Amino acid sequence: MNISDFYSKKEVVELTQNLVRIPSHKDVKNREKDVAKYIYRFCKENGLEAELASVEGERKNVYVYVRGSGSGRTLMFNGHTDTVPPYKMIIDPFKAEIKDGFIWGRGSNDMKGAIACMVMSAIAIKRSGIKLPGDIIIAAVAGEEEKSDGTEVLVKSGIKADGAIVGEPSNFEYAIGHRGLEWLEFIFRGKGAHGGVPDEGVNAISKASKFIQKVEEQLYPELKKRYNEYMGPSVMNIGRIEGGTQPSTVADYCSLKVDRRYVLGETVDSVINEYQQIIDEIKNTDDGLDVDIVRMESNLMNEFDHMYHYTDPDEEIVKVVKNALGSHIGKVPNITRKRGWTDAATLSYYGNIPTVITGPGDLSYSHTKDERIPINDLVDYVKIYADIALGFCR
């Protein structure tokens, strides 16, 4: 039996287009409400069991089920229904135009195309009449681009699965790990004074500079030693600094904002403590240093942290994904080691669900001014997802 006989290119293309045409970014009222309702209705109309679960207000997750006989593994497909805003796109963000073999529009690549593939794979399996021993669950979740509250709600509900797929664009590769993410602001306080008598003040910018130099001398070499085979190196980036008011005034304030990506073996506490140790060392010789470390609100989840993602390569879900991709592309698929943060971390770290990231599209198309997804990827990934389900749920 060929699962490709039970879905068409036209179906997956039209479903992707219809999802893209429903704006679901943070600036839309009720954000993912309308796209969640569309997915729910589409699944019900195509004979799938589906339910809506509250996330916040009228924002919903959609859970779709293909029930097995109860004797096999349960597989979860996870995809987020929100997108980043259209910003200054050079195409119509919600037209979902077909051109040059692509569907163009916001969310086509990240990641409504993947959700369309997940849904169509479930429909194809149901149409085929195959009765799997295990269950398939599709979780179309809200909020990944902001606080990941959709997957947080999903995990806190106690949902169980033996393996999961997160459908971020992967270019026919897969990932079993990525780094955790923390944004920190260092707030330096000084004492203002006239620029003509700078010794009467305490320059907060100078204090920040001293801290930066110490971090580069001491912490950077240590981070380079921390390397995980499936996540890459532990890193940090100083992304923004601002302080003072004018050249003729000693700066009484300086803010330093840092992006910190950490690997297995590190924690949020250990990350913060390393910075605090450097601050304490500076204070031993500079009692004028006054600085607070603040976890930035814009990066905080509701209750969880943006932890790292790691799944053991010997887990069954990893083997099944590797085989399914390999059979499709005719060679051993590559493991991606340079991913940004995804909901896979919440599933694997907090939900204890072995999780693999793979999906249609190419990461380089995400969040761009001309976001798009190859139509061939959509058609291919319906079969790949179905093959993963058929292999794993047995």
Side-chain angles (χ1 to χ4, degrees), residues 184 186 211-226 234-238 258-261 266 270-279 281:
L184 298 172
F186 298 85
F211 172 75
I212 291 171
Q213 292 177 53
K214 198 79 167 176
V215 166
E216 290 178 340
E217 292 170 3
Q218 291 186 196
L219 185 56
Y220 277 21
E222 291 301 314
L223 296 184
K224 289 181 179 179
K225 298 176 185 177
R226 300 173 196 166
S234 186
V235 296
M236 67 166 284
N237 176 62
I238 299 171
V258 166
D259 177 305
R260 180 72 170 81
R261 309 279 171 145
E266 298 179 285
S270 73
V271 165
I272 293 174
N273 286 339
E274 283 186 316
Y275 291 118
Q276 187 60 55
Q277 288 172 15
I278 290 174
I279 290 169
E281 284 185 29

Side-chain angles (χ1 to χ4, degrees), residues 193-201 247-250:
H194 192 280
V197 285
D199 290 345
E200 294 182 7
S248 61
T249 301
V250 174

Side-chain angles (χ1 to χ4, degrees), residues 7 9 12-13 16-17 103 108 112-114 116-117 172 360-361 373-383:
Y7 70 95
K9 173 181 176 179
V12 68
V13 166
T16 302
Q17 287 181 295
I103 298 174
S108 55
K112 291 177 175 178
C117 293
F172 297 97
I373 190 166
I375 289 173
N376 287 341
D377 282 26
L378 296 172
V379 177
D380 291 343
Y381 257 89
V382 177
K383 185 175 189 306

Side-chain angles (χ1 to χ4, degrees), residues 278-290:
I278 290 174
I279 290 169
D280 292 342
E281 284 185 29
I282 297 173
K283 284 183 175 180
N284 288 334
T285 56
D286 184 352
D287 56 10
L289 181 66
D290 182 4

Side-chain angles (χ1 to χ4, degrees), residues 121-153:
S121 69
I123 291 171
I125 289 172
K126 188 169 183 64
R127 287 173 181 171
S128 73
I130 296 172
K131 184 70 171 180
L132 291 171
D135 297 343
I136 300 171
I137 304 170
I138 299 173
V141 297
E144 191 268 355
E145 299 290 359
E146 295 294 316
K147 293 181 176 291
S148 292
D149 32 1
T151 295
E152 185 173 297
V153 165

